[in-house]
Amino acid sequence: MLFDTWHLFKKYLRISLRMPMWTIFGLIQPLLWLLIFSALFGGFASMPGFPAASYIDYFLPGVVVMTVLFGSSWSGVSLLRELTAGTVARMLVSPISRTAVVLSRVLHSAFLVLLQVIIVLLTALPLGAHITTQISFILAGLTAVVLLGVAFASISNGLAIMLQREEPLVMIGNLMTLPLMFFSTAMVPQQFMPSWLQYAAMFNPVEYGVQAARAALQANPDAGVFWPAAGITALFAIAATAWAVSAFKALRD
């Protein structure tokens, strides 16, 4: 399984390297949000109780999670096209590991998202953002981001297998991005949110990804917040990946 996963991962990576513009396009929207929302909501930082010195410092982890969602929630589209073209059917009659077919795609999506997140972080520094200089927390924050990417890429691929139609997959992909972001503390601190929205955020997996990224990447990392949030994100990634693998195995049958 590991060998097949690595082989297919390299295959998908070579395809991405031949079309680097798709990866670059995935960066445009998060970077625009970083610039626009930092200017639009910059005054929030002067309000009593705001948890950061500047709005860009607070919002940067939210942009990181946005990058993850926009980059991974569409992962199933390419699988759907392979299903339509018959590529997956040819894989099913080969001795390749069925689990590797899903894992390779999910890891490929998460890897591309990781590269995009690193570029977003490097771009934010000249704009005045401050992040931790502790390598261990940077790596921990990036790990949490990758786990969130794995989770949503798995969900997208699982839905592609179940639906096998692009229109509903695109619609659900839209529902996995902006609404989940607005139902989290990515852009607004919890104490500034209505009580019903605070309650809804408790059941939003994106919220825990935002908490983990913010706790690890902020100038003064908070391990007490990071580990519980990262743990929930890891459980979410494991459950989503297991569901996608089971959906693919059901397709075989």
Side-chain angles (χ1 to χ4, degrees):
M1 183 195 71
L2 294 177
F3 176 82
D4 291 344
T5 300
W6 175 244
H7 179 77
L8 289 173
F9 173 80
K10 291 192 296 182
K11 167 196 167 184
Y12 296 128
L13 190 59
R14 284 195 296 269
I15 294 174
S16 297
L17 290 174
R18 294 191 187 108
M19 297 183 296
M21 290 304 297
W22 289 111
T23 304
I24 296 174
F25 286 150
L27 283 167
I28 294 176
Q29 191 169 16
L31 290 175
L32 284 176
W33 280 51
L34 180 65
L35 293 171
I36 294 172
F37 277 84
S38 295
L40 186 62
F41 296 139
F44 274 14
S46 60
M47 296 178 65
F50 193 81
S54 66
Y55 185 76
I56 192 171
D57 286 345
Y58 179 84
F59 185 46
L60 179 58
V63 174
V64 165
V65 172
M66 278 185 197
T67 306
V68 173
L69 293 182
F70 291 131
S72 60
S73 296
W74 302 100
S75 176
V77 174
S78 60
L79 174 59
L80 185 59
R81 289 169 181 168
E82 287 194 354
L83 286 166
T84 304
T87 305
V88 173
R90 290 191 288 272
M91 285 185 179
L92 291 176
V93 298
S94 71
I96 193 170
S97 168
R98 272 52 177 169
T99 303
V101 175
V102 177
L103 286 182
S104 59
R105 302 190 65 87
V106 168
L107 293 175
H108 167 257
S109 177
F111 179 74
L112 293 183
V113 162
L114 176 62
L115 294 180
Q116 292 175 330
V117 165
I118 292 173
I119 294 174
V120 167
L121 291 174
L122 293 176
T123 304
L125 292 177
L127 299 177
H130 301 88
I131 64 173
T132 181
T133 56
Q134 300 181 47
I135 301 300
S136 59
F137 277 103
I138 292 175
L139 294 177
L142 293 178
T143 300
V145 164
V146 168
L147 289 172
L148 194 65
V150 165
F152 279 95
S154 297
I155 292 173
S156 181
N157 280 275
L159 289 172
I161 294 167
M162 292 182 61
L163 299 172
Q164 298 197 27
R165 289 185 57 196
E166 189 165 342
E167 293 83 1
L169 181 62
V170 171
M171 181 185 68
I172 294 175
N174 288 329
L175 291 176
M176 288 195 303
T177 51
L178 291 182
L180 289 178
M181 288 300 305
F182 287 123
F183 276 70
S184 73
T185 58
M187 289 176 280
V188 179
Q190 187 179 42
Q191 60 267 33
F192 292 175
M193 297 166 63
S195 57
W196 67 270
L197 200 55
Q198 295 181 29
Y199 182 77
M202 295 172 56
F203 302 95
N204 181 3
V206 172
E207 167 65 12
Y208 297 99
V210 172
Q211 289 183 18
R214 180 170 291 127
L217 297 176
Q218 64 186 358
N220 298 306
D222 189 342
V225 173
F226 171 79
W227 288 113
I232 294 174
T233 304
L235 292 175
F236 177 54
I238 292 170
T241 304
W243 173 73
V245 170
S246 65
F248 188 83
K249 290 182 176 179
L251 175 67
R252 176 194 62 184
D253 298 333

